[in-house]
Amino acid sequence: MSVTVSFALKKYWQEHVAYKVVAKSRIDYAIRNLDDFFGDRKVRSIDVQACREYQAHRTEEDVGDSTIRYELGILQAAANHCLKWRHITVSELPSIELPDSTPHRQIWLYKDELQTLAASATGRALNFILLAYYTAGRKTSVETLERYQVTFDPKPRINLAKRGEAKTKKHRPIVPIDPAVVDRVKNLLESHTSKFVLGDGSDIRPEFNKAVEKAGLLNLPERGLREAGRLTPHILRHSRATHLLQDGVNPFAVANLLGDNLQTVLKIYGHACPDYLEEAMASGF
């Protein structure tokens, strides 16, 4: 009996993702979309035409090529996993075609747009937006933030890394809680008994997207030095870094907040601190 895509994705999650992957939410999201589209189709039947049909389907849903590329990559990984675990044979491997990779785009929210977004959000979405922005934390780190990661003594701090969490290339630093959200965090922790700071650790996308659509910011237009692009939770991290650099904060401090090195910060956010770049180049950095 030939293996279906649904079966392959399920096995990949059970036998690999559940045990080896720290941040699972993006993979979960990809698996849901793949399963919804391919479902009972046989793994061996997935070819270039099927991949192009999937790309067209996701494009109609206003999903970018980078996300589609990631999702089809998950399908390839699931098939390779099934081959490794002998759920399928070599002859059953799919022929996956990935969309062309696209260069990193410079996308961030201007401060007035951030205010509009916050004004359009309520409840868990609003709390996520403010925490994600002020901590410059990644989506999964913020939506699954737990009580023990927050401390107010001797100073308000959030440890974005979890106990026993496997180390990855994405460093999760200890960051100060900005005065703008200290009281909000305290009130949040007093308002419920859940171990999660935001009340639960589920995927924030549905609630976030509702706020984005209400604010009319789903597709950000070109503005100044910013390129056009879709507003995702990760843009909050880019926005925080951009605003700090535009406000004259030392790039070293911004790099420490992001958990990145200085070279990465200047490469990604150089548009925000041209004066520093000019000084660095003049000094032979």
Side-chain angles (χ1 to χ4, degrees):
M1 180 178 178
S2 297
V3 166
T4 65
V5 170
S6 184
F7 177 89
L9 293 170
K10 180 179 179 181
K11 286 296 183 181
Y12 176 63
W13 200 99
Q14 292 175 337
E15 297 167 352
H16 175 74
V17 177
Y19 292 97
K20 298 286 183 112
V21 178
V22 176
K24 301 178 177 63
S25 63
R26 192 181 183 195
I27 293 179
D28 287 341
Y29 180 70
I31 286 176
R32 286 199 301 272
N33 289 316
L34 291 164
D35 199 11
D36 286 345
F37 186 80
F38 292 115
D40 292 332
R41 294 179 65 168
K42 306 299 183 184
V43 170
R44 67 183 183 187
S45 73
I46 306 303
D47 54 14
V48 172
Q49 181 59 38
C51 292
R52 291 181 181 180
E53 290 171 0
Y54 182 77
Q55 183 177 1
H57 166 71
R58 295 292 279 146
T59 298
E60 287 180 359
E61 295 181 335
D62 203 22
V63 175
D65 283 351
S66 61
T67 297
I68 299 169
R69 183 181 178 86
Y70 176 81
E71 292 173 352
L72 288 172
I74 292 296
L75 178 56
Q76 182 69 72
N80 292 339
H81 171 83
C82 285
L83 176 64
K84 178 180 177 181
W85 282 62
R86 300 183 179 178
H87 299 310
I88 63 174
T89 64
V90 173
S91 64
E92 293 178 280
L93 281 174
S95 297
I96 303 292
E97 180 186 72
L98 303 178
D100 293 336
S101 59
T102 55
H104 176 78
R105 288 181 294 174
Q106 304 288 0
I107 303 174
W108 68 93
L109 285 170
Y110 279 79
K111 290 182 179 180
D112 62 299
E113 293 171 330
L114 179 66
Q115 292 175 351
T116 299
L117 176 61
S120 301
T122 58
R124 186 166 176 258
L126 176 59
N127 291 326
F128 170 83
I129 289 166
L130 295 176
L131 270 180
Y133 174 75
Y134 282 108
T135 64
R138 295 180 175 85
K139 171 182 172 292
T140 300
S141 296
V142 177
E143 70 188 0
T144 63
L145 188 69
E146 298 186 34
R147 286 176 177 271
Y148 74 83
Q149 295 175 260
V150 181
T151 182
F152 296 98
D153 186 22
K155 294 182 178 180
R157 294 286 186 270
I158 290 177
N159 187 348
L160 292 172
K162 286 184 166 51
R163 294 171 186 160
E165 184 177 62
K167 291 185 178 181
T168 70
K169 293 180 180 179
K170 295 181 178 179
H171 180 57
R172 295 174 175 82
I174 297 174
V175 300
I177 304 177
D178 192 278
V181 290
V182 168
D183 289 341
R184 178 174 292 273
V185 174
K186 287 181 178 179
N187 292 335
L188 256 177
L189 294 175
E190 293 172 358
S191 68
H192 60 74
T193 59
S194 170
K195 71 175 184 177
F196 296 107
V197 174
L198 294 182
D200 71 74
S202 62
D203 190 348
I204 196 65
R205 277 191 188 88
E207 296 158 272
F208 178 82
N209 287 341
K210 284 183 180 179
V212 169
E213 290 176 4
K214 183 178 178 181
L217 296 170
L218 185 62
N219 294 300
L220 298 172
E222 289 186 20
R223 180 177 174 182
L225 295 176
R226 183 184 73 193
E227 298 177 61
R230 189 180 180 89
L231 176 54
T232 66
H234 196 71
I235 299 302
L236 295 170
R237 173 178 168 87
H238 290 307
S239 300
R240 179 59 166 164
T242 297
H243 296 164
L244 288 172
L245 291 169
Q246 288 174 339
D247 290 342
V249 174
N250 189 296
F252 285 99
V254 177
N256 287 332
L257 176 67
L258 297 175
D260 287 332
N261 58 48
L262 180 62
Q263 289 82 356
T264 299
V265 169
L266 293 180
K267 178 181 178 181
I268 296 177
Y269 306 104
H271 61 273
C273 51
D275 293 340
Y276 178 85
L277 287 175
E278 290 177 4
E279 293 173 6
M281 291 174 66
S283 64
F285 175 77

